[in-house]
Each structure stands twice: as structure tokens, then as C-alpha cells.
Amino acid sequence: MNGQPAKLEVPAVQKDGKAYLPAAELGKLLGFPVRWDEAKQAVLLTAPAAFIEFSLPDKKVYVNGEQVPWSTAAMLWQDRLYIDSVWLNRYADFKAQTDAKLGRMVLRYIQAPDGKLFRNDTLPNMKPVAKFVLDKPVYRLGEPITYTDLSYDPDGDGIAHAEWTGKAEAIFTPGLYKVTLQVTDGKGNVSEPFSTNVEVSDQPYLDAFEYKVYHEPVGSYVKEEEAVLRKYLRGIPQLKKDESRPQDRPLIVSDSPESFKEKGFLYQEKVNGKARLYGDHVNETGRKMKLGIIVRNPSPDRTVTIKTTREGEVYPSIYANLIGNEATVEFLQGERPQGNDTMTLKPYETAYYRVMPNFYPGQGMNVIYDVETDGDVFFSFAAMEPEDGLDTIGIYPRLPFSGNVRGTFITSDVIWNIDASDLKKPSSFAIADGTSDPFVTGTDFALQQKADNIGNYGVEYKIHINHPPKMAVLMLPRGGVFRGPFLVNGRIVQAPPSGIMMDYSGYSILARTEGTEEGLDIAFSPAAGSAFPIDIILYPIPDKP
């Protein structure tokens, strides 16, 4: 090399009339960067006029990302990659002379005088450039940090991936914090790291709890330590509510025995006019069963029409929180079109109002229906054998009460109007705590004794908040496991978005207001499988200067 001997690990090779250069020696011979990519199992070679990739497992060659025939470019011999010298010359511009008799190859190659390998900076194999800027020189504690990514690829390949180190949405301790960005282009080339220091002063803006209330997306479940939740969300002022409990639609609840072990009648009640039917049961018979809701016209001479205006149903499942959530989601989504679901009973006629799909041991069902009748009818919830029909139910026993909730309650709706126009600090109200929100009362038709709907299952809360300020609406479980939907201004918000949440383990963000709205409407019905009470917190989030 330039008159001096140099020992190569492997020689050039002449084969089938072609002269091949060993890829492993090109760095020593010509100064070409040659790299082995273990993940791709490929040799990566940077020539003056191209970036070349030799993929060994599938024998493919890519020049600046475009595939070319392997046979024209390279060969594998004795577990080594060799490159056709004539083919390579088009990307390197060297002169080669081969003397077959002497077994000698002479290469004449002149590198660029400035020491740079590339003579054309528009080639598609150049590295991308990582770069970003901050929107402020100094940030306060808990102030949002805005990063503007200015990374680019000189060859126009586009940035395929960005990897940040130390990037934080906000920082709550003063100091200097290094943030680094490294990007990868569409060809797999990786940029040099780019770093900047974020300076955080000791001036307060938002603390860690407030920052999440201000900035976590609506619908999020925000996990938090119990001590933090009790510090910020307990012992806060209770909101005054203008309450009404209409009594035009009684609530009929069949939830005892919740887990039935034999066939029989679960609950029965007479309806004339409006009513809400609510059933929640689990099959513990050890065999497949079905749940039937049977309706009977007791009149000897009058036809009765039954109209269903709203419903919530779910397929059988072993997951109690799932069946309660899904049935309630469907129920909250609104009324059916008029006349869409109507049935008529002749005098003394008995029929199925609903027959649910067969469910296996351990599976449960949850159903909710708003009905209207123009005469007396009896609704009966019955645990039935799959093969039993209406002709067999006359011998069914009445299954005994065994805890949980059962009865006919005086109301199925609770309506609250809340004036939030003067709200200046976090305030809350509880749902189904039995004190600030009393349980609806009624009578067990079978036992003819007083019943309390502990948890207010089947009740729909219609909450209107007048003139809300700029605020976040949070939901905090206090009774145990919780999963349930809220209808916020006509849109379902799941709490949490998936899975379940436990008491004092976190909160869900149900809504945010801008302070310009006339009102905010929330509809909610306690879902089967969830524990109560829960707190709804109105948390002001005024603009920060």
C-alpha cells in the first residue's frame, strides 16, 4: 500500500472470470467504513457514491435502499463475503488491473483531499440530524415544558423514530435537567445525540397532584397514593344540591338470592303504568340454567299493552364488574324510538317478556328495562331449567331472600341541580353513601316488609351543574372495587377506561369545562358488581399566569 507491505487476513479472489475483493478488508484497502449489523445479519458498507447493504441470510443487496441482484454484486466463499471489483467500481471510482498468471490485482484509488468520504451530500445514506428547542429558558415548578422537535434527514427519507432521554412534561424540583434526543431515519440510519439542559427555578406553578388534574386527558384513570388522595380530595366542602325524586316510575329490583342454587321465582311484582325492572343474578346450581322474565295479564276481559322504552342487557359472564358495566352502558345511551318494542297480552295470557341466553355455573346476568303498561300486569323473574317452558312454572317455588337487595322502591330517578357559579375551591358530593344521598326505600313484595336499596342499584342520577367555572370533574371510589360508565353531555366516559379501580387507589377524570358553558349534564346509574359510595369532585383549574 503506497509502496509498503500490508498483511491482509484474507486475499482477493479470482473466480469464474471475475476479481472479488474481501468485504472485511475494504476499510484497510480503500478506507471504506464497513460494519456488521448483528440484528439484520448484514454487512453495511459506505462507499463514496452509495450506501450498500449485503443481507447474508437471504442473499439480497440494497444500494441506497433499492434492491439489486446478488449475483451481479457479491458472493459468499469459505464463509466470507466477497464483492465484485468491477461492480463496486461504479460506486467508488478506482482503477483495477488483474494479472491472472501472476495472481495479482493492482488498485489505484485516490481519496478526497478533504478527508471526507462522501463527495455528494444529497445521497440517501446520510445520517439524520437530531435537534429540538424549548419554548422558555427557565421553567417554574410544575410548569408544562414544550419541546419542539426540529429533527430532519438531509436526504429527505423522513424521521421514523425518535428516542428521548430525560424528557419530562413538568418538573417539580428545582435544578438543571439534561434532555437528549436521538432520531432514526427511514433507512435505519441513527443520528448523533442532541442534548439541552432544562432549567427549573424554585418558583411554584403547580404541584404534582395539581398538574395531573390540569393536564391528564379526560377519561384517564390517574393512579395516586392513598395519603395524597386523602390530603387533596377528603374533607373538602360538600356541594348543596336541589334534589327531586319523582315517584311516577317505581323501581323493581330482583337481586336476592343473587346467587341462586335451584330453580324458582326470584321476585314478582305488579305494574300498572311506568316501572323500571332491574335484575342481577349468578348461576350457582352447578348446571346450565336460563333467566326468564315472565309477564302475566290478570284481567279476565282486558287486553294489556307493554311498551319497552329503554333497556340494558349483557351476555352471561363470570366477571361481575363486566356485566354490570356493559348493561349500564347500554341503558344510559338513551330511549328507544317510540313503538319500537311493544307486546300485547290477551286476557289471562302469560308470556315471556325476556328470555336471556343460557348461562353456565358461575356466570351472571344483569338486565335493566324501562317499561310502560296500560293496565295491570305481573312481572316475575325466574331461574329456569333450559328445557322448562311456561307450562312448568306453576310448580316453581318462591326462592327465599338471602341478603343483597330485593324490593319495589318508590323512585327510580334522582335529579340534582347544582349551582357552581361561585365555586372557587374543590368541592364534592357523594353518591349512594346512605346519608347525604339516602338510599331509596320501598317494600319487598314477597315478604311484605320494608326494603332499602343499599347502593341505589338501578337508580339513575340525573345531575345538572349550572354555570360551571373552568374545572375538572373527578370521580373517587370510597367503598371498594369500582367499574362503571358516566354519560357526560351525551358522551359515555368509562371509569376506569379498562379493568377496575379500588377505593383510594386513584381517581378518574370525567370532564373538564372552560368556564364558558351554561351547564354540564352527568347521568349515572350504580353498576352491578361495584361498591359504593363514590365521590364526585368539582376541582377548579383557573388559568395560570
Side-chain angles (χ1 to χ4, degrees):
M1 298 181 66
N2 295 328
Q4 300 297 320
K7 180 70 174 177
L8 304 181
E9 292 183 10
V10 290
V13 170
Q14 187 169 10
K15 190 172 179 63
D16 299 326
K18 295 182 179 181
Y20 290 86
L21 296 172
E25 302 292 351
L26 290 179
K28 185 180 296 185
L29 291 171
L30 303 174
F32 292 2
V34 180
R35 181 166 63 90
W36 170 248
D37 189 323
E38 180 67 25
K40 292 183 176 180
Q41 292 288 293
V43 174
L44 309 181
L45 184 150
T46 304
F51 176 79
I52 308 171
E53 177 178 331
F54 299 87
S55 178
L56 303 190
D58 52 9
K59 289 189 175 180
K60 291 183 178 179
V61 183
Y62 299 90
V63 178
N64 294 333
E66 305 252 346
Q67 186 176 342
V68 300
W70 173 275
S71 59
T72 64
M75 73 170 183
L76 287 174
W77 188 60
Q78 295 184 347
D79 293 326
R80 294 279 187 173
L81 174 67
Y82 287 83
I83 302 172
D84 185 339
S85 60
V86 175
W87 180 87
L88 180 62
N89 185 44
R90 70 186 70 177
Y91 305 112
D93 194 23
F94 56 78
K95 296 184 181 298
Q97 291 179 330
T98 304
D99 189 326
K101 291 182 179 180
L102 296 178
R104 183 173 63 187
M105 176 186 287
V106 178
L107 298 175
R108 298 185 184 277
Y109 176 70
I110 301 174
Q111 291 188 354
D114 59 2
K116 294 181 180 179
L117 181 64
F118 286 94
R119 296 192 296 276
N120 184 347
D121 64 1
T122 64
L123 293 175
N125 58 341
M126 294 186 70
K127 289 181 179 181
V129 177
K131 187 177 181 181
F132 67 91
V133 294
L134 305 171
D135 65 325
K136 296 182 69 174
V138 181
Y139 293 88
R140 292 168 286 179
L141 299 175
E143 186 173 10
I145 303 170
T146 301
Y147 306 83
T148 302
D149 189 343
L150 301 177
S151 303
Y152 64 95
D153 185 76
D155 317 307
D157 290 333
I159 303 300
H161 175 69
E163 183 174 348
W164 294 84
T165 304
K167 183 182 181 184
E169 294 181 5
I171 298 172
F172 304 96
T173 304
L176 280 178
Y177 297 86
K178 183 178 179 180
V179 181
T180 301
L181 173 64
Q182 196 166 27
V183 297
T184 305
D185 69 13
K187 296 279 182 8
N189 297 314
V190 181
S191 72
E192 296 298 324
F194 177 85
S195 299
T196 291
N197 284 327
V198 176
E199 183 178 352
V200 181
S201 70
D202 200 17
Q203 184 179 357
Y205 184 78
L206 293 173
D207 64 25
F209 178 85
E210 292 171 325
Y211 183 86
K212 296 173 187 176
V213 174
Y214 268 75
H215 295 288
E216 288 290 334
V218 170
S220 297
Y221 169 49
V222 183
K223 293 185 178 180
E224 195 62 89
E225 295 294 327
E226 180 177 354
V228 174
L229 293 171
R230 291 187 180 277
K231 173 183 176 182
Y232 285 90
L233 301 182
R234 291 298 296 152
I236 59 181
Q238 297 297 295
L239 288 158
K240 294 181 180 179
K241 306 184 295 284
D242 179 13
E243 179 181 279
S244 62
R245 298 192 173 200
Q247 298 186 14
D248 60 331
R249 186 186 297 276
L251 171 64
I252 299 167
V253 177
S254 177
D255 190 19
S256 182
E258 183 176 83
S259 299
F260 59 84
K261 295 183 170 64
E262 58 182 313
K263 67 181 182 181
F265 287 109
L266 298 158
Y267 192 61
Q268 297 174 309
E269 182 57 279
K270 183 174 74 172
V271 172
N272 189 334
K274 294 180 180 180
R276 179 170 300 158
L277 311 179
Y278 181 94
D280 185 52
H281 294 283
V282 178
N283 177 11
E284 285 198 2
T285 62
R287 60 190 183 276
K288 185 167 64 175
M289 296 289 284
K290 69 181 179 183
L291 178 69
I293 303 178
I294 299 153
V295 60
R296 178 173 62 89
N297 178 4
S299 174
D301 54 15
R302 186 170 180 221
T303 297
V304 179
T305 298
I306 303 161
K307 182 166 60 177
T308 302
T309 59
R310 210 168 167 198
E311 72 175 28
E313 297 175 339
V314 64
Y315 276 89
S317 173
I318 61 172
Y319 301 106
N321 297 104
L322 172 67
I323 63 174
N325 181 78
E326 295 306 313
T328 308
V329 167
E330 184 178 6
F331 182 75
L332 287 177
Q333 285 180 323
E335 295 189 358
R336 290 170 167 268
Q338 289 297 316
N340 216 30
D341 190 343
T342 301
M343 66 183 298
T344 300
L345 293 181
K346 298 175 183 177
Y348 283 147
E349 183 180 1
T350 298
Y352 284 117
Y353 172 73
R354 292 288 190 275
V355 181
M356 305 309 295
N358 291 338
F359 55 129
Y360 290 84
Q363 290 186 326
M365 297 288 295
N366 185 218
V367 294
I368 318 170
Y369 305 100
D370 275 357
V371 298
E372 297 178 10
T373 77
D374 60 2
D376 286 345
V377 294
F378 283 89
F379 283 97
S380 300
F381 292 80
M384 305 176 67
E385 301 283 357
E387 65 277 5
D388 283 358
L390 293 176
D391 57 335
T392 66
I393 62 173
I395 60 172
Y396 272 21
R398 181 178 289 170
L399 299 180
F401 176 82
S402 62
N404 287 65
V405 176
R406 189 176 78 178
T408 304
F409 302 96
I410 59 175
T411 184
S412 57
D413 293 316
V414 173
I415 301 171
W416 289 339
N417 279 294
I418 297 171
D419 184 5
S421 57
D422 292 331
L423 188 71
K424 296 294 189 296
K425 57 185 178 180
S427 302
S428 71
F429 56 86
I431 293 179
D433 65 348
T435 51
S436 66
D437 175 29
F439 301 132
V440 297
T441 59
T443 302
D444 187 313
F445 177 84
L447 299 177
Q448 287 300 301
Q449 63 184 34
K450 182 178 180 296
D452 291 322
N453 186 350
I454 299 174
N456 280 350
Y457 296 99
V459 171
E460 182 180 6
Y461 289 82
K462 300 175 181 179
I463 305 164
H464 180 76
I465 301 171
N466 288 307
H467 305 293
K470 189 170 186 180
M471 67 178 186
V473 182
L474 316 180
M475 191 282 297
L476 174 71
R478 286 200 287 126
V481 62
F482 182 88
R483 175 168 174 74
F486 293 78
L487 189 71
V488 182
N489 281 348
R491 172 177 167 264
I492 289 289
V493 178
Q494 297 273 24
S498 62
I500 60 172
M501 53 196 299
M502 297 298 297
D503 54 322
Y504 292 107
S505 63
Y507 58 88
S508 283
I509 301 178
L510 303 182
R512 280 201 185 88
T513 56
E514 293 298 321
T516 58
E517 299 88 346
E518 287 294 320
L520 177 70
D521 290 292
I522 301 173
F524 173 73
S525 185
S530 291
F532 291 86
I534 62 172
D535 280 349
I536 305 296
I537 298 105
L538 309 188
Y539 204 105
I541 50 172
D543 291 328
K544 291 282 188 175

